[in-house]
Amino acid sequence: MKLIQSLEELRDYGRRWAALPTKTIRTIPGEDIMNLFIAANKFVPEVLQHYARLYGFPNYKGASVGWLRGAAGWCYTNSNIIRIDFLYVLFADDVAFNATLLHELCHTEVHNHTTVFWELFDQKLKEASIIDREDNSRKVWLQKPWLKKEDGMYLYDTPGDRYGNVSAHKQKAIRDKVCYGFSQDRQWMMRSDQAYISDIYKLIYNTVDKIKCLPEIIENILTGHCKLLTTFDYADALDFFKGKQLVETYVGYGKGDTKVTEAFHAIFETIEQHHPLHMMCEKQVRVSALFIFSANAGSAIPMNDIDKILDDNYFADIRMYSAIFIEDPNLGMDVFCTHMILAQEYY
């Protein structure tokens, strides 16, 4: 499992998958496709936000990536929120993809395909150097009487298949990994058994509203970019997150002889000030905790101190916990860090 770092990396997967036979696509794990889907929901809105600022679209309100039928993108007129088709993110060529992003941004200003829209779109394509600034050939067509109303899409849109002639079987093989069918609102719905995988990646990409800041160390653990002193891997992460609602994350630091105690004290002092732990543990709710204990490679982790604290009354309301021990070169030699992530499970 590899964390996607950019939109270009994500689209590179699409280029490679487009060249694979459908039977190979069917062997790709669902969590790998879900990883790309969640990454797309991070990076595509970021690119649209950048374009909105760069090319002057003040009415743009946000975006998401989903599953659209019969369209590469969509702009909701009542909210100016844009939705881009996931398969289009994967398979569209670069020129068509960037032109589509600008096309939908233009709809935040003009909510139709009249000549006013196409003139704006023509202007923005030139600003973005997608077409030559001296190319005025389209303006001749825009003066035709049949373009006074909704028409003229062929002037700018790439002809033929939106997905670069990727077969319908291959498209379905990808969709079937993460969805079960079309709903009324033009988007594909997640499979319920894939929802917990979505939660993990949403955490990594900071898209879960209730978690303001997930420790970067979780990303490093799940992608193998740090030295683990215990055997904790992606499967363990699934076991912790599956079926739970992630609610809070805390961090505490300690130094000197009492560094472990100080780290825990900082966490629970914060909890008591904002969300007392016993109040989280309502009826029909179980609270689990994931602890990440980290210290410098040259610093000893005082295991006895940790054992004592984990047996303390601090944890009377916690149903279960998992612990990870790692070496973190970013910490000082005499610094100990504890991350605690809380999750609720309803029963």
Side-chain angles (χ1 to χ4, degrees):
M1 184 66 60
K2 181 182 179 183
L3 185 69
I4 307 302
Q5 302 288 347
S6 66
L7 181 60
E8 178 56 32
E9 182 182 351
L10 187 157
R11 284 176 45 76
D12 188 56
Y13 273 89
R15 296 184 191 101
R16 283 182 276 150
W17 288 1
L20 294 175
T22 302
K23 64 180 181 180
T24 304
I25 294 293
R26 292 194 179 107
T27 66
I28 298 174
E31 57 263 29
D32 286 0
I33 295 177
M34 182 66 76
N35 182 20
L36 297 189
F37 182 82
I38 299 300
N41 272 283
K42 170 181 171 58
F43 295 118
V44 171
E46 287 182 356
V47 170
L48 280 164
Q49 181 65 56
H50 174 67
Y51 283 4
R53 292 172 179 167
L54 186 64
Y55 301 118
F57 294 101
N59 294 328
Y60 167 72
K61 299 300 181 185
S64 65
V65 172
W67 308 88
L68 299 179
R69 176 185 285 167
W74 193 265
C75 180
Y76 293 92
T77 57
N78 59 341
S79 63
N80 278 337
I81 291 176
I82 292 170
R83 193 168 183 83
I84 303 296
D85 180 63
F86 177 54
L87 290 176
Y88 192 76
V89 175
L90 285 180
F91 297 130
D93 68 70
D94 290 340
V95 172
F97 180 71
N98 286 306
T100 297
L101 297 186
L102 282 176
H103 181 117
E104 300 308 327
L105 283 169
C106 286
H107 277 313
T108 65
E109 301 294 323
V110 183
H111 296 111
N112 54 50
H113 286 134
T114 59
T115 54
V116 175
F117 170 83
W118 293 113
E119 287 170 353
L120 175 64
F121 187 36
D122 187 84
Q123 173 192 336
K124 298 303 179 182
L125 287 172
K126 291 176 180 178
E127 289 181 21
S129 299
I130 293 176
I131 62 175
D132 189 271
R133 289 180 178 271
E134 303 303 320
D135 180 4
N136 294 316
S137 58
R138 290 170 178 80
K139 290 194 174 181
V140 176
W141 287 100
L142 291 175
Q143 294 170 3
K144 300 293 183 180
W146 58 80
L147 288 178
K148 294 298 181 183
K149 296 183 179 180
E150 309 232 346
D151 202 345
M153 296 181 69
Y154 63 88
L155 296 177
Y156 300 92
D157 293 357
T158 302
D161 186 72
R162 293 196 312 278
Y163 305 129
N165 296 316
V166 173
S167 72
H169 293 293
K170 190 177 295 185
Q171 296 170 33
K172 184 177 185 300
I174 293 175
R175 282 196 298 262
D176 285 350
K177 297 284 185 176
V178 293
C179 62
Y180 66 80
F182 262 111
S183 67
Q184 294 291 325
D185 61 353
R186 299 176 58 86
Q187 71 184 56
W188 288 86
M189 303 297 290
M190 299 289 189
R191 284 185 184 274
S192 59
D193 60 354
Q194 295 283 2
Y196 65 92
I197 297 174
S198 173
D199 284 342
I200 288 177
Y201 286 106
K202 283 182 180 179
L203 275 171
I204 293 174
Y205 295 121
N206 294 324
T207 58
V208 172
D209 293 337
K210 291 189 177 181
I211 302 290
K212 299 303 182 186
C213 178
L214 184 78
E216 182 182 352
I217 200 64
I218 283 287
E219 173 187 324
N220 295 334
I221 289 169
L222 293 178
T223 54
H225 293 158
C226 67
K227 182 178 179 181
L228 297 180
L229 304 181
T230 48
T231 56
F232 183 94
D233 59 14
Y234 176 73
D236 295 319
L238 288 185
D239 288 339
F240 176 77
F241 290 116
K242 184 177 180 180
K244 299 182 178 72
Q245 178 184 8
L246 301 155
V247 288
E248 299 288 344
T249 181
Y250 301 94
V251 61
Y253 294 90
K255 288 179 131 184
D257 294 338
T258 60
K259 55 189 175 184
V260 176
T261 305
E262 285 182 7
F264 273 94
H265 180 73
I267 287 174
F268 283 94
E269 188 176 57
T270 303
I271 291 176
E272 289 306 312
Q273 287 176 352
H274 298 95
H275 305 285
L277 195 56
H278 65 85
M279 293 180 64
M280 290 185 187
C281 304
E282 305 168 358
K283 292 180 180 179
Q284 300 182 341
V285 174
R286 298 187 183 102
V287 174
S288 302
L290 176 64
F291 292 98
I292 307 165
F293 303 125
S294 50
N296 191 283
S299 175
I301 297 180
M303 301 291 291
N304 290 337
D305 291 350
I306 292 174
D307 288 339
K308 289 177 184 176
I309 291 175
L310 291 178
D311 290 334
D312 194 76
N313 289 331
Y314 276 142
F315 303 99
D317 295 316
I318 294 179
R319 172 176 173 257
M320 60 169 288
Y321 61 82
S322 303
I324 315 168
F325 296 85
I326 66 169
E327 290 181 352
D328 187 350
N330 297 316
L331 293 175
M333 286 291 292
D334 199 30
V335 176
F336 182 80
C337 177
T338 299
H339 284 103
M340 182 175 78
I341 302 172
L342 295 179
Q344 291 179 344
E345 180 180 2
Y346 294 86
Y347 59 94

